[in-house]
Amino acid sequence: MKYLDVLESKLGRKATREEIEAFTVMWSEHCGYSHTKGYIRQLPKVGAGGNAGIITLDDYHFLAFKVESHNHPSAIEPFNGAATGVGGIIRDVLAMGARPTAILDSLHMDRIIDGIIEGISDYGNSIGVPTVGGELRISNYYKHNPLVNVMAVGVGKNEHLISSKASKPGQVIVIFGGATGRDGIHGASFASEDLTGEKATKLSIQVGDPFAEKLLIEAFLEMVEKGLVEGAQDLGAGGVLSATSELVARGGLGAVVHLERVPLRESDMLPIEILISESQERMAVVTSAEKAEEVLRIARKHLLFGDIVAEVTDNGRYVAKYKDEVILDVPAKLLEESPEEPIYDYTPAPFRKFRWIRFKNVDAHDVFERYDYMVGTDTILPPGLGPAVMRVKSSALGYSLVIHSRADLGAQDPYWGAYITVLEAIRKTLSVGANPVAITDGINYADPDIEPLGLAGQMKGLRDACERFDVPVASGNASLYNTYKKKGIPPTLVVGMVGKIENLNIPKPSKGPVYAVGYPDFSFDREKKLQEEITKLVRKGLFVISMHDYSRMTTFKNALSKLGLNLRIQTPITEAVHQMVIVFGEPKTELPVRKIGFCY
Ligand code: ADP
Ligand code: MG
Ligand code: MG
Ligand code: MG
Ligand code: MG
């Protein structure tokens, strides 16, 4: 264990075997954020935080959203790794009291890895949540370390927003869902290491059951609707230990956990294995002692296992017992307070011309056509033509969703790579007539101990862009140690952006001349001008699309051809960074305009 000496000095004694196991999980980079929490604290924020980020849509609805990585599991076992990535992030959104409405996936790999695509489509399609957007970046950078970042989105009623903590002693924690087995033991610490490590075995990979997840969603939402849920958390990395200790520690409370009550799939599990197993499709619900029976009745009605596994206490201790035997007895706060690594100030280099590092040209239809993007019937704008646009059921309101990254720039300059990623996500959001509201950021990085400044640059670029362009961060994720034999991925910031839309009449591509509007290079003022111009053009009914590789556009061209349209670009634009959008039809604008082709 990496921080054993810190742990023993805090405890003031030698740690027991169980404590070492528990703190290995909770103080892993994946659960504890040692290298990133200092930077994350500095980001401009919106919403209360918790299992997922929250923005208010209107007087009745909120939107919950978060991005999560499943990079390490997907490298070892593509199908189950990617599938459980979807399942995990869906539960984060669910835990806020929201019905999951959409999935987006950001994929970086050296070739299309079928297992990963199948894992995502199999899980998403089975739970009936559409995968409405994503990105597919093919490059040798990701040969040993594919990146699978999945963003989930949900819509809830404001009156049913659920907190991510226990609030008073005497409450109980019910855990319900699938039964617990040995799958995923030490998954969190495995996800915090170089992939050549000895934990890189299939033993650490969880197995998903989307049908159980579907039951979990319906059961949980019924509990929410009936006012039975006083706090909630999904079970993901770190299993029962992470979910229950985080719930009580956030409320400044403690818990007594009864491990013999956790419904098991394998009868001979050790208590510590029950505590840290990462079996999927489980939720923890904080409720009162009186309401707990009703919670369990609803779980059983939906054919799920469940039991009252813990009581909330006021003494701040986290006590895990198996029958009368105490397995763990530590301050709950200590489990949350993983040691913090130093953070670094980063002074960005002046903006300069970037090299054009082109990722392989692929048609994303080969991927997203395997996803169901229409199930639920709220998808207004399907993949291929820009950001996804979704309607809020029984309302005139809509929201846009996009997930975006620029690792080709990140490889050259982590600061500007991150910064430009945010700006491009804003342009995309504006291009469907939406107003950018907030982002969820997915940090993907190599080894912060070898190159701490690259991480500092990525975080500073993200922070500066969010501050200057006024789009706060609602939630996020960090995945470090994406390395193999110590060599790693380029800084790859994945930005998921949500926007609000009042007018769901979004312009469609049309026949006629096609223009590039905007400047060939970057400055703050020009970016602002371009942003305003995009909104104006869309209001005038012109179809606008923002993309960064104007030379190939295979996916876009194929999406057009499905609408019976052909696109011929005569003068492709090939600067690595440009502040331009493509506009279909005559753009009356003061910005530089160049005719680049024709749609017929
Ligand atoms: P989970 O346990 O569901 O995987 P995480 O451990 O990924 O959740 O995240 C813990 C909390 O920290 C969440 O509230 C998440 O939104 C927040 N968070 C993590 N990374 C970031 C980030 N890069 N930016 C903003 N918030 C973040
Ligand atoms: Mg966590
Ligand atoms: Mg969570
Ligand atoms: Mg999660
Ligand atoms: Mg996470």
Side-chain angles (χ1 to χ4, degrees):
M1 183 202 171
K2 190 172 170 192
Y3 296 118
L4 184 58
D5 44 338
V6 184
L7 174 63
E8 294 191 332
S9 88
K10 293 238 176 178
L11 292 171
R13 58 173 168 78
K14 280 242 164 287
T16 65
R17 215 199 108 214
E18 283 79 10
E19 283 165 347
I20 293 176
E21 295 253 7
F23 281 89
T24 300
V25 173
M26 294 304 294
W27 288 6
S28 67
E29 192 64 41
H30 186 83
C31 288
Y33 284 86
S34 291
H35 286 83
T36 51
K37 58 185 166 188
Y39 296 117
I40 292 171
R41 216 176 279 130
Q42 296 175 334
L43 297 172
K45 297 274 175 31
V46 62
N51 282 297
I54 291 296
I55 59 162
T56 308
L57 274 178
D58 62 13
D59 290 349
Y60 306 102
H61 303 96
F62 70 87
L63 205 62
F65 55 98
K66 185 179 186 294
V67 68
E68 188 87 72
S69 62
H70 245 211
N71 303 338
H72 286 70
S74 303
I76 302 296
E77 249 236 55
F79 181 87
N80 280 309
T84 54
V86 174
I89 190 60
I90 287 283
R91 290 192 294 282
D92 275 320
V93 160
L94 181 66
M96 303 307 293
R99 175 173 286 280
T101 52
I103 297 164
L104 295 93
D105 60 333
S106 164
L107 304 176
H108 290 77
M109 31 189 141
D110 69 328
R111 74 211 126 89
I112 294 183
I113 301 172
D114 282 317
I116 289 178
I117 314 302
E118 272 159 32
I120 293 170
S121 70
D122 185 74
Y123 207 100
N125 295 358
S126 303
I127 56 175
V129 179
T131 303
V132 299
E135 57 170 357
L136 178 62
R137 303 267 192 255
I138 304 287
S139 155
N140 260 336
Y141 286 135
Y142 304 97
K143 186 165 169 30
H144 299 290
N145 298 94
L147 304 184
V148 178
N149 283 214
V150 181
M151 171 177 170
V153 185
V155 176
K157 293 183 196 151
N158 290 337
E159 61 192 291
H160 289 150
L161 177 62
I162 301 296
S163 99
S164 303
K165 58 185 177 201
S167 54
K168 49 180 182 280
Q171 286 177 314
V172 297
I173 304 177
V174 171
I175 290 183
F176 74 98
T180 300
R182 282 203 177 80
D183 32 335
I185 286 182
H186 282 305
S189 37
F190 153 66
S192 311
E193 285 180 5
D194 182 282
L195 267 180
T196 19
E198 58 182 15
K199 288 205 191 93
T201 66
K202 295 199 177 186
L203 263 184
S204 303
I205 314 298
Q206 311 88 323
V207 182
D209 175 359
F211 302 104
E213 182 101 341
K214 177 66 182 155
L215 299 173
L216 195 77
I217 294 171
E218 298 311 324
F220 183 78
L221 290 176
E222 185 176 335
M223 295 167 193
V224 169
E225 193 73 37
K226 293 202 166 129
L228 303 172
V229 183
E230 297 174 3
Q233 172 136 342
D234 59 292
L235 272 73
V240 172
L241 171 65
S242 166
T244 52
S245 68
E246 287 180 14
L247 277 168
V248 296
R250 288 189 199 117
L253 297 159
V256 178
V257 182
H258 306 275
L259 293 168
E260 75 279 4
R261 297 190 197 160
V262 176
L264 299 184
R265 204 166 56 219
E266 300 169 56
S267 56
D268 59 341
M269 286 175 72
L270 295 173
I272 187 71
E273 291 179 319
I274 301 172
L275 191 61
I276 64 174
S277 155
E278 296 184 8
S279 288
Q280 299 291 292
E281 291 91 23
R282 299 179 298 166
M283 293 289 284
V285 163
V286 182
T287 186
S288 65
E290 304 79 64
K291 292 180 197 150
E293 268 315 308
E294 180 65 1
V295 167
L296 289 172
R297 195 192 61 75
I298 294 172
R300 282 193 290 268
K301 185 180 96 180
H302 290 272
L303 306 176
L304 298 166
F305 297 100
D307 209 333
I308 301 171
V309 165
E311 290 109 32
V312 179
T313 61
D314 62 1
N315 62 10
R317 309 260 340 151
Y318 185 82
V319 182
K321 290 173 150 181
Y322 189 87
K323 296 186 178 154
D324 288 331
E325 188 193 350
V326 174
I327 306 299
L328 198 68
D329 182 353
V330 293
K333 277 264 176 250
L334 189 59
L335 287 161
E336 306 319 298
E337 284 165 2
S338 65
E340 262 189 79
E341 296 287 343
I343 59 170
Y344 297 82
D345 285 333
Y346 186 90
T347 313
F351 187 80
R352 58 186 164 89
K353 277 249 176 266
F354 282 87
R355 263 183 307 129
W356 184 241
I357 304 177
R358 193 175 284 153
F359 286 7
K360 196 169 169 234
N361 189 30
V362 279
D363 182 358
H365 281 82
D366 293 344
V367 168
F368 66 68
E369 286 300 346
R370 293 202 238 168
Y371 302 152
D372 188 336
Y373 46 78
M374 292 309 290
V375 61
T377 66
D378 294 323
T379 313
I380 306 263
L381 207 63
L385 292 169
V389 174
M390 305 289 296
R391 151 179 70 199
V392 178
K393 260 209 197 335
S394 67
S395 137
L397 207 68
Y399 53 96
S400 68
L401 303 171
V402 66
I403 195 162
H404 184 59
S405 63
R406 283 301 300 272
D408 56 326
L409 303 180
Q412 300 175 60
D413 185 321
Y415 176 89
W416 287 109
Y419 195 103
I420 301 289
T421 304
V422 175
L423 297 197
E424 290 184 347
I426 295 175
R427 285 180 223 159
K428 287 170 188 285
T429 301
L430 294 169
S431 76
V432 290
N435 196 14
V437 180
I439 70 169
T440 178
D441 66 298
I443 300 158
N444 296 275
Y445 195 70
D447 189 331
D449 304 316
I450 297 176
E451 279 183 78
L453 281 182
L455 181 61
Q458 181 176 149
M459 297 308 296
K460 187 78 162 71
L462 168 65
R463 175 185 169 189
D464 283 356
C466 289
E467 275 173 0
R468 289 179 197 158
F469 291 89
D470 207 15
V471 186
V473 175
S475 61
N477 184 67
S479 169
L480 309 184
Y481 301 102
N482 291 286
T483 55
Y484 178 78
K485 298 194 172 150
K486 299 281 162 207
K487 265 183 62 96
I489 58 158
T492 306
L493 175 72
V494 172
V495 166
M497 186 173 287
V498 301
K500 272 194 217 180
I501 305 186
E502 316 236 313
N503 176 7
L504 285 173
N505 252 329
I506 300 146
K508 299 275 166 342
S510 54
K511 292 182 183 173
V514 171
Y515 296 86
V517 172
Y519 307 91
D521 54 17
F522 174 78
S523 82
F524 177 82
D525 293 339
R526 288 177 164 191
E527 187 68 34
K528 276 283 183 206
K529 269 219 177 95
L530 181 67
Q531 290 182 357
E532 284 158 22
E533 202 55 37
I534 295 172
T535 304
K536 282 190 207 152
L537 290 165
V538 178
R539 286 221 181 104
K540 281 184 201 147
L542 297 175
F543 175 80
V544 179
I545 185 154
S546 163
M547 56 176 89
H548 68 272
D549 190 342
Y550 292 137
S551 61
R552 300 208 200 175
M553 304 198 283
T554 314
T555 305
F556 180 50
K557 281 185 180 164
N558 285 344
L560 287 177
S561 77
K562 285 168 80 185
L563 302 173
L565 296 170
N566 300 295
L567 181 65
R568 188 177 321 128
I569 298 289
Q570 282 126 354
T571 34
I573 306 157
T574 51
E575 291 92 1
V577 179
H578 34 65
Q579 288 184 291
M580 286 176 203
V581 292
I582 298 190
V583 179
F584 283 53
E586 292 286 348
K588 300 217 168 41
T589 165
E590 284 154 27
L591 266 56
V593 176
R594 174 145 61 112
K595 188 169 165 197
I596 58 168
F598 207 76
C599 181
Y600 58 99

